Amino acid sequence: MSPLPPLNAEECQHVRSCLQAALSQGNTEIQRQSEATLAGYEQRPGFCAFLAEVVGGREEDHCTRWLAATQFKNSINRNWRTLKTSRCLGETEKAHLRAKLPSLIAQDDNQIAVQVALVYAKVARHDYPREWPGLFSDLTACLRGPPLPTPLVTRRVYLTLHHITKELSSKRLASDQRTFEALTEGLFPEPLLQLFERWLLLLKIVRRLLLHGVPSDAKAARPTPAVAAVVPVMVQALSALLALRPPAAQQRRAATRSYLLAMLERSLLKLLHTQCALQDAHPWSYHGSGMLLPVLEFCCGQVSSLGVQRESLNGTGERLVMKAMVFIVQVSQCGPYKKKGLANTAAPEVLQAVGNVQAAVADFWNGSSGTAGAAPHPDAHSSGGSGSCSSGGGGGGGAPHSGAPSRLQSAVAALVGCWLPLSCRELQEWRDSPEEFYHGQELSQGGWEDTLRGCCETLYLTLLQAHRQAVGAFVLQGDLVAGVPRVILNKEVVYNAIALGAYELHDLVDFTGWLRGSLLHELNDHSPATKPLRRRVAHVIAQWLPRVTAADRPPIYAALLTLLTESPPDACLQLHAVHCLRVLVDDFGFEDSQFEGLVGPVVVSLMGMLRSCAELDTQIQVFTLLNLIIERMGEAIRPCVEGILGLLPQLWVDSEGQSLLRIQILLALQRLINVLGADSPAAYPILLPVLRYSLDVQQPESGLLMEDAVGLLLVALRNAPLQPAQLQPGQTLQPLLQFLPAVVTAVATSTENIQISLEAVKSCLLLGGSPFFRQQAHASLLPLLHDSLGALNERGTLLLFPVLATALAVDPESAPQLLQPALVRLLDMMLSGKESSLILAGALGVMARLLLQDPHHLAALCTQAAAQGVSPWVGEDSPAADPALGPGEQLLASLLDLWTYSFDSMAQPSARKLSALALCQSLGVPSRATLIHLESILVAVTSVWYETRSTPGQGHLDDGSGSGGGCSGEGAYDLGCDGGEGGPTAAVDSEEAAGETERRAALMRSDPLHTLAVGALLKAKLGECAALHGHAFNVSMASLDPTIATQLHAAIAS
């Protein structure tokens, strides 16, 4: 392709006109044409250079320059590198643009400045350092002048550096990371380190350089000089900025917050956030800087001093306290400070450093607190500069002053007394919207560090784990836990502290005595003032579940029921009762007899909550408990079934678009139908519409609902009654069977739920019988089996064999003909020699059933397969092909050869007997193929006869020998596809449903596997074989090995 000509002066003017026209607000057609014209010019040389001139031209109007800057950035992003879909800029134009960029930095407009900085970042990503080695030296030169840089230039340089370092730090190749490390070493001598406290952007640059440009020292246990040098400067800046911050009360009295104050608080947050990030990434460098204990004391001071000002803090103040708590938690849980990750052969100086920092932190917590909330000073607690990691990092303060509380006591007292109690704002939120308050408190969408309460609870738990005896004794002292009257909120927060530390305090609290002497009484106190305490008592019981005795469960159930039925209802208390009940009911120690008397009132209360609640999370939690109660209580839930079924239709309608809630409704229906059993047609008015919607792959929610919807259909099919008298007037089971095409379509769309879908197909066949099979064979079953065979992995293929066997057992007369294309494909898979032994054993089970029902079916199948080009299987010891045999007979001989060769790979007794009976049946096939493999057939059959002759019934396998799972003999090839693994729980529970069990038993009673004896069938078929082949048969029998002949005579004589 010939190169495009560069833009000329006329075209440049046209570009300028298009930029102005693209901003036209009145005519969208003009805008569209202008944008298309600009896109066409983008491939022309000189286009980016002209855009740069427009951006730098002060005479252009602001909008045109902004659009040019945006177009400039996008064009650079698309065309700086050579791609198949774009034109790469020429090297001459690139050099011109790199030289032009510094003149574009000093932009008055913030939006244009950001676009220019992004252009710098995109070019730097591709050209630094190879094509543009002087990038950073040119930028930092702008900070030195001459003349002296203006504040605008300084801000724009920092903005540009921010975006460049952000872009370069995201590169992940090892060579790029080494380049960034070298860049880090080169930038620190520049003015960045001296001026960072004045500019927030510079702080971001430094943080990114230190986090991504310097390898972590967590395992090396050696401080990095760059980090150790920077941290004291940052702490000094933190101290200086904190001294300028007015008290919280003064801020609250101010009518408006100034921009300067907002920037000050943002800088404080960013500095403290940077301390957390640096301590996490470089723990030993941070310790070696001497700043670990000063910053730790500053954070403890913030927690202790600002607690009493909690109600007057603004959002930024709360976030500052949260960051302080995060830093304390981080230091307390720091793995390197606890020898975590260090090898057993660590150097002595490393182990010494670990011991020093542990001793310093321990002394710190035992020492008395200094000035509450004082700013950290670089020389406080310092061991003298950066030091090495083997230094102590500063003294911890020794023993506390006489009578003064230790830092640990002060921190815990602040947490328990100030931060953990419900604030006035939280109490008001509870009064305004109890339901929303509960979910805001209990179901935070982010991590613990994203909420103030999460930070408080995590810090408390961290201190309790690290100082169990001291904190436990402090929290449990005096009358904090006993029933002595105290301020309700103080008592509530102590209960919360004990609930959070249930594991750590398990042997320090007499929970049974506390429960009987105080908690149950407080849970039954219905005065409005005790609501916070009752809420927390339910939480305590749920957290201390292992200590709840069986004798205490009934009064707990009754007390929780009072929370559910309280008038007027309080959604927050109700949801805490729901949570506690769910924990109790889902526990291993749950006894249904203790809960039976309360089932009705609890279910009624839960149904009332479902009608009145507005939050999706509430409905899901209530449904989860309801499903759990139905599952655990079984028949005891029957009196409540009618009411639940009456509620579900409206809930289904109201939950449109809320798939999680609809899944809970599907699970509830599964369990209710399991409970109803043969009376399940009473649920069909709600069941059928729900299934019709959920199984429709065209519906937007089908992907989320499909698994549970198929599970619901499976449960309904298994529980379908046997007797028409159990159906309501005008009711039939045909609507259930009509969902088979939908299940087949779902399998064709995705194999994600194939296991439970095929279980539903088997149940449809058992319920519908021969007429249903003949109706659906061509439309649904044949496409499913034919398209799936050979297209699935081993596990998926194994799941298909029980469906094939069930179809052959349900309609032995029509199934071989109707399913012939699928059977031909299966035969081709077997004879190809590419399938595993598991698939081969399962496929032989299907062929065994086909052969056992009628030998002519298998002979016809081999003839059809030969006509379609299926090749015979040839094993290592296979006899030479007999030219006298036709193509179909050669396939039959090959199949018998493969069968006898693979016979010992079948392990289940029912599978072996089924194959032995089928091989006996093959002796009656009018083909010389059976004589070719007569000896191998007799070896396999007599071995099974010996295995079964000790079984009661003279060779009959009893019904418990592996023939369950959906149809007679299915255990021979039903390898784990009983619907148990990966299916819904209710579907598992429905396996023994009375209707399904009786239908299996009826099919089993007519199954040849359970009506024929190996010895008797062998004797009869040998007689038929002798009559068919005459002298050739006698010759083959005479050539048998004497041992085999002896076994054969014994089997026939039996």
Side-chain angles (χ1 to χ4, degrees):
M1 179 184 296
S2 59
L4 296 172
L7 291 179
N8 55 37
E10 182 179 353
E11 290 170 330
C12 290
Q13 184 60 35
H14 191 206
V15 169
R16 179 181 282 106
S17 301
C18 289
L19 288 171
Q20 295 169 350
L23 297 169
S24 174
Q25 300 294 326
N27 195 324
T28 57
E29 184 62 29
I30 294 178
Q31 283 184 323
R32 191 178 301 110
Q33 292 176 359
S34 301
E35 291 168 359
T37 303
L38 290 173
Y41 278 127
E42 184 174 333
Q43 302 296 321
R44 300 281 297 278
F47 178 72
C48 290
F50 178 73
L51 290 178
E53 295 295 334
V54 174
V55 173
R58 304 296 180 180
E59 69 279 2
E60 301 285 350
D61 66 274
H62 168 266
C63 294
T64 303
R65 292 175 58 225
W66 173 81
L67 184 57
T70 304
Q71 185 76 19
F72 185 29
K73 177 201 66 177
N74 294 336
S75 184
I76 290 294
N77 193 29
R78 285 191 289 263
N79 300 318
W80 197 265
R81 289 180 61 191
T82 303
L83 299 175
K84 294 181 180 179
T85 58
S86 65
R87 173 192 69 87
C88 179
L89 295 174
E91 293 301 323
T92 303
E93 188 173 0
K94 286 184 179 180
H96 169 72
L97 291 174
R98 286 194 292 264
K100 179 68 176 178
L101 283 176
S103 65
L104 303 180
I105 288 180
Q107 296 291 335
D108 295 326
D109 182 80
N110 288 332
Q111 293 177 324
I112 299 177
V114 169
Q115 299 300 316
V116 172
L118 290 173
V119 171
Y120 250 107
K122 293 300 179 184
V123 175
R125 183 178 185 90
H126 302 305
D127 286 6
Y128 179 80
R130 185 172 301 175
E131 304 295 335
W132 200 359
L135 167 64
F136 290 95
S137 60
D138 294 342
L139 278 175
T140 54
C142 296
L143 298 175
R144 292 191 294 266
L148 291 176
T150 65
L152 176 64
V153 171
T154 304
R155 289 170 55 198
R156 297 309 184 218
V157 169
Y158 291 156
L159 175 66
T160 305
L161 284 173
H162 162 64
H163 284 286
I164 293 175
T165 54
K166 181 178 181 180
E167 189 74 28
L168 295 181
S169 67
S170 66
K171 300 177 75 173
R172 287 294 173 260
L173 291 178
S175 58
D176 294 327
Q177 291 182 347
R178 287 193 294 271
T179 300
F180 197 77
E181 293 174 10
L183 167 66
T184 303
E185 296 176 0
L187 278 183
F188 273 119
E190 300 296 334
L192 291 171
L193 198 57
Q194 306 168 15
L195 302 174
F196 80 94
E197 68 272 20
R198 296 173 53 194
W199 305 107
L200 195 57
L201 285 174
L202 190 56
L203 176 62
K204 294 180 180 179
I205 297 169
V206 173
R207 183 177 72 234
R208 193 166 287 111
L209 290 172
L210 294 178
L211 293 180
H212 300 284
V214 179
S216 173
D217 63 15
K219 294 183 179 179
R222 288 189 298 271
T224 303
V227 179
V230 166
V231 171
V233 183
M234 288 187 175
V235 174
Q236 185 176 7
L238 180 64
S239 175
L241 292 175
L242 194 65
L244 300 174
R245 183 169 180 257
Q250 182 178 338
Q251 294 183 41
R252 198 169 187 84
R253 286 194 299 268
T256 58
R257 297 178 70 238
S258 67
Y259 179 76
L260 180 60
L261 178 59
M263 288 297 297
L264 175 64
E265 293 183 336
R266 187 179 177 194
S267 300
L268 284 170
L269 279 174
K270 291 297 182 182
L271 280 169
L272 196 50
H273 174 69
T274 302
Q275 302 313 297
C276 294
L278 291 178
Q279 194 281 328
D280 182 54
H282 307 288
W284 292 112
S285 299
Y286 203 94
H287 171 61
S289 70
M291 291 294 101
L292 178 64
L293 297 184
V295 176
L296 196 59
E297 181 167 5
F298 160 73
C299 293
C300 288
Q302 291 293 303
V303 173
S304 301
S305 64
L306 295 182
V308 295
Q309 308 174 36
R310 178 184 178 186
E311 298 294 346
S312 61
L313 290 179
N314 56 23
T316 306
E318 286 190 354
R319 289 194 294 274
L320 187 64
V321 176
M322 288 163 56
K323 287 297 180 185
M325 293 180 179
V326 170
F327 186 87
I328 300 173
V329 170
Q330 200 169 277
V331 171
S332 301
Q333 296 179 348
C334 183
Y337 295 165
K338 299 180 179 181
K339 302 184 183 179
K340 202 172 184 179
L342 295 178
N344 294 329
T345 58
E349 60 270 15
V350 175
L351 299 178
Q352 179 64 31
V354 173
N356 288 342
V357 73
Q358 289 178 348
V361 173
D363 289 344
F364 170 82
W365 286 115
N366 292 328
S368 61
S369 57
T371 305
H377 293 283
D379 55 347
H381 299 275
S382 176
S383 57
S386 61
S388 67
C389 68
S390 60
S391 66
H401 298 296
S402 176
S406 66
R407 291 189 181 91
L408 179 63
Q409 292 174 333
S410 298
V412 174
L415 289 172
V416 175
C418 302
W419 294 110
L420 285 176
L422 294 173
S423 66
C424 295
R425 177 174 52 84
E426 289 172 320
L427 291 173
Q428 185 61 44
E429 291 175 356
W430 186 348
R431 285 190 291 268
D432 294 343
S433 179
E435 193 176 344
E436 186 176 345
F437 169 76
Y438 171 84
H439 294 301
Q441 292 283 311
E442 305 297 330
L443 300 175
S444 175
Q445 298 300 314
W448 61 266
E449 64 274 11
D450 295 331
T451 63
L452 178 59
R453 183 160 296 277
C455 291
C456 295
E457 293 179 351
T458 304
L459 175 56
Y460 162 75
L461 194 55
T462 300
L463 295 177
L464 178 59
Q465 291 169 346
H467 310 276
R468 178 171 168 269
Q469 292 293 336
V471 176
F474 181 76
V475 171
L476 299 175
Q477 68 180 341
D479 58 351
L480 289 176
V481 177
V484 178
R486 287 179 60 93
V487 177
I488 294 295
L489 291 182
N490 289 344
K491 198 169 189 179
E492 183 268 346
V493 76
V494 175
Y495 282 16
N496 186 22
I498 297 173
L500 291 171
Y503 179 80
E504 289 76 14
L505 301 174
H506 70 282
D507 57 349
L508 299 179
V509 175
D510 176 15
F511 182 77
T512 300
W514 183 29
L515 175 68
R516 297 175 181 176
S518 180
L519 294 183
L520 285 175
H521 296 293
E522 291 163 341
L523 198 56
N524 286 299
D525 184 355
H526 298 284
S527 57
T530 61
K531 281 186 177 182
L533 195 58
R534 296 168 67 202
R535 161 183 174 263
R536 193 56 66 189
V537 169
H539 180 58
V540 168
I541 294 173
Q543 293 296 105
W544 285 78
L545 177 65
R547 297 287 297 275
V548 176
T549 63
D552 289 328
R553 282 177 174 265
I556 291 176
Y557 296 149
L560 292 173
L561 179 60
T562 64
L563 292 184
L564 291 174
T565 58
E566 180 171 316
S567 182
D570 187 304
C572 181
L573 293 180
Q574 288 178 322
L575 284 167
H576 275 281
V578 166
H579 171 70
C580 189
L581 278 173
R582 182 176 59 80
V583 171
L584 289 165
V585 175
D586 200 26
D587 182 50
F588 181 77
F590 176 77
E591 297 179 11
D592 53 3
S593 59
Q594 293 181 322
F595 195 70
E596 190 169 350
L598 299 174
V599 169
V602 169
V603 170
V604 170
S605 299
L606 295 178
M607 291 166 58
M609 289 184 66
L610 288 173
R611 292 190 188 96
S612 62
C613 61
E615 296 284 338
L616 173 63
D617 290 330
T618 300
Q619 294 173 320
I620 291 177
Q621 289 194 36
V622 174
F623 251 121
T624 301
L625 175 58
L626 184 61
N627 284 331
L628 191 59
I629 291 174
I630 296 172
E631 180 184 348
R632 298 302 295 265
M633 297 305 298
E635 287 294 320
I637 203 71
R638 263 185 177 269
C640 307
V641 169
E642 183 177 355
I644 300 174
L645 289 176
L647 176 67
L648 293 182
Q650 188 59 45
L651 286 176
W652 180 266
V653 173
D654 295 341
S655 61
E656 182 178 1
Q658 297 176 347
S659 301
L660 293 177
L661 183 56
R662 288 193 162 181
I663 288 173
Q664 294 295 325
I665 295 176
L666 292 172
L667 294 176
L669 278 172
Q670 288 184 26
R671 290 171 170 83
L672 290 172
I673 289 175
N674 259 343
V675 171
L676 290 171
D679 297 327
S680 59
Y684 287 2
I686 172 64
L687 171 72
L688 297 178
V690 166
L691 285 177
R692 195 172 296 114
Y693 175 86
S694 303
L695 293 174
D696 184 358
V697 294
Q698 301 300 323
Q699 297 297 334
E701 297 178 281
S702 64
L704 296 172
L705 302 181
M706 184 60 67
E707 179 182 1
D708 297 292
V710 176
L712 175 58
L713 175 61
L714 176 59
V715 173
L717 290 167
R718 287 174 171 175
N719 284 278
L722 286 172
Q723 305 300 328
Q726 295 172 299
L727 296 171
Q728 297 178 4
Q731 203 172 41
T732 68
L733 297 177
Q734 286 302 314
L736 285 181
L737 299 175
Q738 291 174 1
F739 290 114
L740 177 63
V743 175
V744 173
T745 303
V747 174
T749 305
S750 172
T751 59
E752 183 178 359
N753 305 314
I754 188 171
Q755 177 177 338
I756 195 168
S757 298
L758 293 178
E759 286 290 324
V761 172
K762 287 194 302 180
S763 293
C764 282
L765 292 174
L766 289 173
L767 181 61
S770 176
F772 174 73
F773 168 76
R774 295 178 185 180
Q775 176 188 355
Q776 295 290 335
H778 276 296
S780 299
L781 291 174
L782 180 58
L784 169 67
L785 297 171
H786 184 269
D787 296 343
S788 299
L789 284 169
L792 302 175
N793 59 16
E794 180 183 81
R795 175 167 175 77
T797 303
L798 291 173
L799 296 173
L800 296 171
F801 297 147
V803 178
L804 269 169
T806 305
L808 292 171
V810 165
D811 192 353
E813 297 180 1
S814 304
Q817 184 63 34
L818 294 175
L819 299 179
Q820 189 180 77
L823 293 172
V824 169
R825 174 164 289 192
L826 179 61
L827 183 61
D828 187 19
M829 292 171 56
M830 296 170 61
L831 298 180
S832 68
K834 300 177 182 179
E835 303 298 334
S836 66
S837 59
L838 284 176
I839 290 181
L840 192 58
L844 286 173
V846 175
M847 293 299 169
R849 184 163 298 282
L850 182 65
L851 181 56
L852 186 59
Q853 290 170 350
D854 190 342
H856 300 289
H857 287 322
L858 185 60
L861 180 67
C862 291
T863 302
Q864 181 66 28
Q868 295 183 14
V870 176
S871 302
W873 175 80
V874 181
E876 296 179 359
D877 301 325
S878 299
D882 189 345
L885 298 178
E889 289 183 296
Q890 289 185 6
L891 277 189
L892 177 60
S894 175
L895 176 61
L896 293 174
D897 185 18
L898 175 63
W899 205 322
T900 55
Y901 177 80
S902 307
F903 193 85
D904 288 336
S905 66
M906 303 177 195
Q908 295 186 9
S910 58
R912 294 176 64 81
K913 181 184 177 183
L914 180 63
S915 282
L917 291 172
L919 290 174
C920 290
Q921 193 78 302
S922 71
L923 297 175
V925 177
S927 171
R928 292 189 66 254
T930 56
L931 292 182
I932 297 175
H933 301 286
L934 179 62
E935 182 172 346
S936 300
I937 290 173
L938 294 178
V939 169
V941 172
T942 54
S943 66
V944 173
W945 175 79
Y946 269 101
E947 294 168 5
T948 60
R949 65 177 180 170
S950 59
T951 305
Q954 298 181 351
H956 297 264
L957 285 175
D958 56 65
D959 294 345
S961 62
S963 58
C967 74
S968 55
E970 194 170 307
Y973 33 76
D974 191 0
L975 300 177
C977 57
D978 57 355
E981 186 177 344
T985 304
V988 177
D989 295 342
S990 64
E991 281 184 331
E992 302 304 322
E996 182 98 340
T997 302
E998 183 55 37
R999 285 185 283 271
R1000 289 178 188 169
L1003 198 62
M1004 191 177 297
R1005 287 191 289 269
S1006 62
D1007 186 5
L1009 178 63
H1010 298 278
T1011 58
L1012 295 177
V1014 174
L1017 185 61
L1018 176 61
K1019 183 177 181 179
K1021 293 303 174 180
L1022 281 173
E1024 290 184 23
C1025 190
L1028 286 171
H1029 302 288
H1031 178 68
F1033 172 78
N1034 294 331
V1035 172
S1036 298
M1037 292 294 291
S1039 64
L1040 290 177
D1041 184 271
T1043 304
I1044 299 174
T1046 302
Q1047 293 176 350
L1048 176 61
H1049 289 305
I1052 294 175
S1054 66

